[in-house]
Structures are given as structure tokens and as C-alpha cells.
Amino acid sequence: MELSLAHPAIKAFMCGSFSGTCSTLLFQPLDLVKTRLQTLQCGMKPGSNRVGMVTVLLSVVRTEKLLGLWKGVSPSFARTIPGVGLYFSTYYSLKQHFFQDRTPMAFEAALLGGGARTVAGILMLPVTVIKTRFECGKYSYVSVTGALRSVCRTEGPAALFSGLMATLLRDVPFSGIYVMFYSQSKASLPKEISTSPSAPLANFSCGILAGILASLITQPADVVKTQVQVNPQLRTAEAVRYIYMEHGLQGFFRGAVPRALRRTMMAAMAWTVYEQMMARVGLKA
């Protein structure tokens, strides 16, 4: 079947890509701080003084200038623009195919979100690996394409899929939980609010609530994913054991604050912009 720019799935892809571009540019500093916190803390010896989010933030600004907070934004764009577009177009296509005539229930909404994230997560994982390495500060890559070539040449193509299991264990539940809470909280809004000019603000608030819950539940998987991608010699189980032996249960929640802020704000903004743009092109999100 031939696709054109007027095809609903293509429109959903374009709306999702635009929303991902806006949210990535705004919240990239939080992602960088989160990655630095996770890789720094897991490299510290037990008993060392803990380093907080503000300390890392000031250190980056002092040593790498203000623009240093946007280090890794190129691979973030390379991942997010097509990745969010792919996520929303997959979500829209699945929803239209299975739930065209009715609103998905809570469990069905979770499956929709998780399924869409699985497709996007697997396809975009190589760029996710490069993005994580850019942000951690341990690698001196110059460009995304140069980093991809370097990893393939020195570590083999398989390294570009390091952390696949941890990434899916983080992203699929996050998306499923987020979509479930977001759709249910939106459905519970009074009709006079959901149809008023303040509806985007109300939807954004629903997204904030859903994002906080989803971020906290999936935080341990994010710490493991970061360690595996920065240290590809570690397998997922080994990374879990290392983090626990070195830092205990609290080690799995390193970087939780900047990640929760970023993921929550990014998801809420992406969904709000996506839904508004879909409405403008005449489609129901």
C-alpha cells in the first residue's frame, strides 16, 4: 500500500517528531546530569561523599561552560526525532487497528504504550548507546556517525545493542505505565475542563502525574542500562550485582531526581504538543 504525506500514520510520525524535538532541546541538560550522576556514583568507593545533582550541574558549567549541559544533544536529536515520531505513529496505528470504535481500557492502554515503545526502542537502540556515551564524558567522540563507526570498528556491531534488555525493561514499562495513567486521568477530567481552552494545561498536568509514577517505578532499570552501555563488558545481570554489592539498594536510584524531572516534563510536553498538532491536522490522537 502506497503511503503519502496525507496518510494518518505519516501525520502522526511528523507530529511526534516535532514534539520530540521541542522536549529534547529543553530538557537535555537534565539527561546529561542524570547520566553523569549514575556513572560517577557507581565509580565511587563505598564511604565516599555522595555527589548531588546541583554539584554535578555546577561542575559541568565550570569545566565545560554553559553549552556543556547540551553535550550529547546531537545523538539525542538523532534518537528522539525519528524515535518519538516512530513511537507515536506506531501507537496511533495500533490504536486505530485494535480500538477504532472505542476507548482502550487501562490494561489495553498499557499494552498500546508498551508495544509502541518496544518497536521504537529496538530500532533506535544504537543511537541510544552513542547518546549515553556522549553524555557520560568518558568518550571523546566528535560526531554521531563517527561514534557509530568507531564502536563498530573497535568493539563490533553487537556493542551498539548493549543494554538492550535493560533498555526494554526500563522503556516498555515506563511507556505502558505512563499511557495507562495518562489516559485514565484524562478520562476522569470533567467534560467542561476537557472541552475548554484550558484543556492542554489540564492534559499537561495529567502527564506530569503519570510521568512521576512511571519514572520512579522504572528508575532501577535506567541505572542498570546506563552502566551496561557505558561499560559494554558488563552484562545486565553483572551490572545489577555490581551496583548492589557496591552501593546497596540506594544505588539503583542514583539520578532519580533529574531523570524524573526530565522524563516527566518531556513526556508531558511531547504528548500535549502531539495531541494539539494532531487536532490541527484533523486527526484524533
Side-chain angles (χ1 to χ4, degrees), residues 75-76 78-80 82-84 86 116-134 141 144 147-148 151-152 156-172 221-222 224-230 232 236:
S76 287
R79 181 192 70 161
T80 303
V84 176
L86 184 62
R117 179 55 61 192
T118 299
V119 173
I122 292 175
L123 293 179
M124 300 308 300
L125 185 63
V127 185
T128 302
V129 172
I130 297 303
K131 168 188 165 296
T132 303
R133 293 189 177 194
F134 260 94
Y141 299 136
V144 177
L148 289 169
V151 172
C152 288
L160 292 174
F161 289 88
S162 59
L164 173 61
M165 185 59 64
T167 299
L168 293 180
L169 287 174
R170 177 198 68 171
D171 287 351
V172 174
D222 184 67
V224 174
K225 185 268 318 179
T226 299
Q227 285 301 307
V228 172
Q229 291 181 344
V230 172
T236 300

Side-chain angles (χ1 to χ4, degrees), residues 100-124:
Q100 189 172 12
D101 300 324
R102 64 181 179 88
T103 301
M105 295 185 292
F107 180 68
E108 293 169 335
L111 290 179
L112 273 178
R117 179 55 61 192
T118 299
V119 173
I122 292 175
L123 293 179
M124 300 308 300

Side-chain angles (χ1 to χ4, degrees), residues 179-221:
V179 173
M180 180 179 68
F181 282 118
Y182 180 65
S183 60
Q184 295 303 301
S185 57
K186 269 183 62 181
S188 66
L189 290 174
K191 188 174 181 180
E192 55 268 23
I193 293 180
S194 58
T195 57
S196 71
S198 62
L201 180 59
N203 293 344
F204 188 83
S205 300
C206 292
I208 294 291
L209 175 62
I212 291 174
L213 294 171
S215 293
L216 292 177
I217 293 172
T218 58
Q219 176 63 23

Side-chain angles (χ1 to χ4, degrees), residues 249-278:
L249 290 176
Q250 64 180 0
F252 292 99
F253 290 90
R254 291 296 170 192
V257 173
R259 176 175 179 262
L261 285 172
R262 175 187 173 272
R263 287 302 296 264
T264 297
M265 298 298 289
M266 277 193 71
M269 178 181 230
W271 274 90
T272 302
V273 173
Y274 166 74
E275 290 176 339
Q276 292 301 302
M277 289 194 67
M278 288 289 278

